[in-house]
Amino acid sequence: MSASSPSPRRRLDVQQRRAAILQAAREVYSEQPYGTVPTAVIAKACGASPSLVFHYFGSKAGLYAEVIRGALGELEAAQEQAITALSPGVPVRDRVRAALAVYLDHIAAGPTFWGVPLRGGEEPPEAQAVRSEARARYMERLGELLGVGTFPRHLYAIAGFYGFIDQACARWVQQGCPADQRDLLLDAALGALEGGLGDWRV
């Protein structure tokens, strides 16, 4: 083989190829909304064919849903790490703040990707289902963190808290995620939760 000949393409096993497609999709979707990206663009970015992408993920929507699932999993892990890094005696308010701060940092690092649902952008039902499952887990974990049961006021407070975050973060993204407003957003969100609960439980 001459020095000018192209290097042979390295063959990837199933897991490596799947991971490469997911990584390429995440990079593309970090810059462009779902509805504007043809599958061929993602396939080209990872040196695959559209048919191979469909082979591994079934559809463009299935691929996008897996990208969302992976990103939300990373977010949940980062939030859990931030909470557990705090000393046991730290008030629950500060634990909620730590988890919310991680979320804001993820949004600021990728406003196009994280801002799509906040702005009411187009997402397929498969991705919406993944987000709904994650939201249910968030609400359950917050209830556990707060030490609340099934008292209706507390359940409304938690649901309202996440609605507040969605709207507040949508505004923050629209303004370009200004760093000097991050703490103000955090304080407003925590105030909304406290008002809904009536007081912090612990």
Side-chain angles (χ1 to χ4, degrees):
M1 181 181 292
S2 68
S4 60
S5 299
S7 299
R9 179 181 297 175
R10 184 169 66 92
R11 293 186 64 84
L12 303 177
D13 65 27
V14 171
Q15 292 303 317
Q16 290 174 326
R17 175 60 69 188
R18 192 175 190 280
I21 293 171
L22 274 172
Q23 181 59 34
R26 184 159 181 179
E27 291 174 1
V28 170
Y29 288 129
S30 71
E31 299 178 356
Q32 303 176 59
Y34 169 80
T36 67
V37 180
T39 305
V41 170
I42 296 169
K44 182 177 180 181
C46 61
S49 65
S51 61
L52 192 59
V53 173
F54 295 139
H55 171 73
Y56 283 113
F57 297 97
S59 64
K60 176 186 171 183
L63 170 60
Y64 184 74
E66 285 304 306
V67 170
I68 297 297
R69 191 185 310 279
L72 290 174
E74 292 174 10
L75 171 62
E76 290 179 39
Q79 289 178 315
E80 187 63 29
Q81 184 177 13
I83 292 172
T84 56
L86 299 174
S87 62
V90 170
V92 68
R93 185 182 193 278
D94 293 337
R95 296 178 183 278
V96 176
R97 183 186 179 92
L100 183 55
V102 169
Y103 178 49
L104 295 187
D105 291 343
H106 274 65
I107 290 176
T112 298
F113 178 76
W114 291 98
V116 168
L118 300 175
R119 295 190 302 266
E122 176 191 354
E123 285 194 320
E126 293 88 338
Q128 294 173 19
V130 170
R131 290 191 188 278
S132 294
E133 292 167 7
R135 176 58 59 89
R137 290 194 303 272
Y138 291 152
M139 293 177 68
E140 182 179 356
R141 288 208 319 270
L142 179 58
E144 292 171 354
L145 186 61
L146 294 170
V148 301
T150 58
F151 182 52
R153 172 170 178 167
H154 296 157
L155 298 180
Y156 282 125
I158 291 172
F161 172 64
Y162 282 109
F164 181 94
I165 290 173
D166 287 345
Q167 292 302 310
C169 287
R171 178 181 175 84
W172 194 53
V173 168
Q174 185 179 29
Q175 295 179 345
C177 301
D180 63 344
Q181 294 183 20
R182 176 180 177 275
D183 287 344
L184 298 176
L185 195 165
L186 284 169
D187 290 340
L190 292 170
L193 179 57
E194 182 175 15
L197 292 170
D199 196 359
W200 295 100
R201 300 285 294 172
V202 290

